[in-house]
Amino acid sequence: MATRRQVPWHRSAVLVALMLAAFTFNTAENLPIGLLELIAEDLRVSVSAVGYLVTGYGVTVAVASLPLAHVMRAVPRRHVLTGLLAALVVSSMVAALATSYWLLLVARLLTALAQALFWAVMGPVAVSLFLPEARGHVVGALSVAGSLALVAGVPAGTWLGQQSDWPVPVAMLAGLGLASLVTIAVLLPTSRPEEGHAAYGTDPDARRFGTVLAAGTLSATGAFTGYTYIVKFLGDVSGFAGSTVSALLLAFGVACLAGVSITGALLNRFPYSALTAAVATQAAGMLGLYAAGTDPVAAVVFLVLVGGALGPVFMATQNAMLRCAPGRTDIALAANSGAYNAGIAAGAAVGGLVLPLTGVRGTFLVGGLLTASACAVLLGERLLPGGRRHKAVLTSSVRQA
């Protein structure tokens, strides 16, 4: 009678540590959103200046991901991850102790630099710990942990900061980072980055790599063209009160968590179809908000659709990079993370340009059309001939990357 193969406990422990690190990094990135007024009052700066702590963080990740991955491509991943988590711990403590805006900004940028490389190396390390057929489930677990930052991490940190002071939740991030650091330093083997089945794409295809990269960037740009102004939309267009908007944002986060959980279960069987479906769902949600957002019930339905797609889009592009990367997967993942964060920044900028011209509804129309174009890119790639004709060349040369 066949028995189910047991996963060694230390591999599961490393995966949990990586999930905790993903949760901590995502919480650190977005926590100032919930602490804007507290930080502004304590450091005697404007609320918009505190907002730049989030914007600067995202831009740093976008710009630094690919160069850092290239520079660190030969360093054993155990050393890279422990260094990145050490930077998270130190920068979080410096931020918690900061008495000036500029010191806080420097600490934030250090955290952003660590996160820029973390997303590039985390996936291949986690996937390499398990059998290839478990790849989709591992990517899904990491994405669920990252999504929990918005559903639980930021709200909990905001509440804790309001009950005490804003440095308290920031300092707690250092504690979470330290727990991940110790676990990985003790349990993760020291191996060369190019070793393991996750070091290179399982199905290398340069054209598909470019298609996924372009679609992910367009999708992120479209999403944040509208989502940046979702609070204003729900209040001005849908007519919800401020207290109700807070509950709707929580529902949005829960939908995001549900979306990544469901999509994670499908990634192994339908890796590229899952991405197309997520992008199409996001486009439908955003265009639905534009067309029917004046009706409160319809607004809730389409808001949930957007939330249920937003997390799965990034997760599915990450999973696709592990498959179609024409060279090292860490470089491909760095390119994907950088492009996605660039899309977030571009989306906020596009929304800012559209808002005074068409009103807040127009931001969702433009965002929906951009997302629909991302869906068209994915579908168009399937219709083009010769999708596999250069596959043999890639497969034979990829080990030289």
Side-chain angles (χ1 to χ4, degrees), residues 224-225 228-229 343-355:
F224 285 87
T225 295
T228 303
Y229 305 96
I344 292 175
V350 171
L353 293 174
V354 171
L355 185 64

Side-chain angles (χ1 to χ4, degrees), residues 15 21 47 69 78 85 106 121 123 147 171 219 222 251 294 311 347 364 378 386 393 398:
L15 177 60
V47 171
R78 176 171 170 267
L85 290 169
V106 169
V121 302
S147 299
S219 177
T294 54
F364 280 84
L378 291 170
V393 176
V398 70

Side-chain angles (χ1 to χ4, degrees), residues 31 35 47-48 53 87 175 201 205 222 242 325 330 366 369:
L31 186 56
L35 303 173
V47 171
S48 60
L53 296 175
D205 189 326
D330 54 354
V366 173
L369 292 175

Side-chain angles (χ1 to χ4, degrees), residues 3-94:
T3 58
R4 186 176 179 180
R5 183 178 299 183
Q6 296 295 316
V7 177
W9 70 270
H10 67 277
R11 296 186 182 183
S12 298
V14 171
L15 177 60
V16 171
L18 290 171
M19 292 171 65
L20 179 60
F23 170 84
T24 306
F25 270 118
N26 273 11
T27 301
E29 179 177 5
N30 295 285
L31 186 56
I33 294 174
L35 303 173
L36 284 175
E37 295 184 355
L38 292 175
I39 296 174
E41 181 180 356
D42 185 46
L43 300 182
R44 299 179 182 178
V45 296
S46 66
V47 171
S48 60
V50 179
Y52 290 139
L53 296 175
V54 178
T55 305
Y57 194 109
V59 172
T60 300
V61 172
V63 172
S65 293
L66 194 55
L68 284 176
H70 183 74
V71 170
M72 303 298 289
R73 66 189 184 279
V75 181
R77 286 339 191 195
R78 176 171 170 267
H79 299 161
V80 171
L81 285 169
T82 52
L84 296 177
L85 290 169
L88 171 63
V89 172
V90 171
S91 61
S92 297
M93 288 307 302
V94 171

Side-chain angles (χ1 to χ4, degrees), residues 283-312:
M286 298 195 71
L287 292 174
L289 281 170
Y290 164 73
T294 54
D295 179 78
V297 175
V300 172
V301 171
F302 289 118
L303 178 69
V304 169
L305 278 182
V306 176
L310 191 59

Side-chain angles (χ1 to χ4, degrees), residues 53 71 82 91 110 166-167 197 201 227 286 317 333 344 346 349 380 392 396:
L53 296 175
V71 170
T82 52
S91 61
L110 176 58
W166 69 265
H197 65 80
Y227 181 66
M286 298 195 71
T317 59
L333 288 168
I344 292 175
S396 63

Side-chain angles (χ1 to χ4, degrees), residues 47 76 85-86 94 133 148 200 205 243 338 348 383:
V47 171
L85 290 169
V94 171
E133 53 265 32
L148 276 172
Y200 295 90
D205 189 326
S243 57
L383 299 176

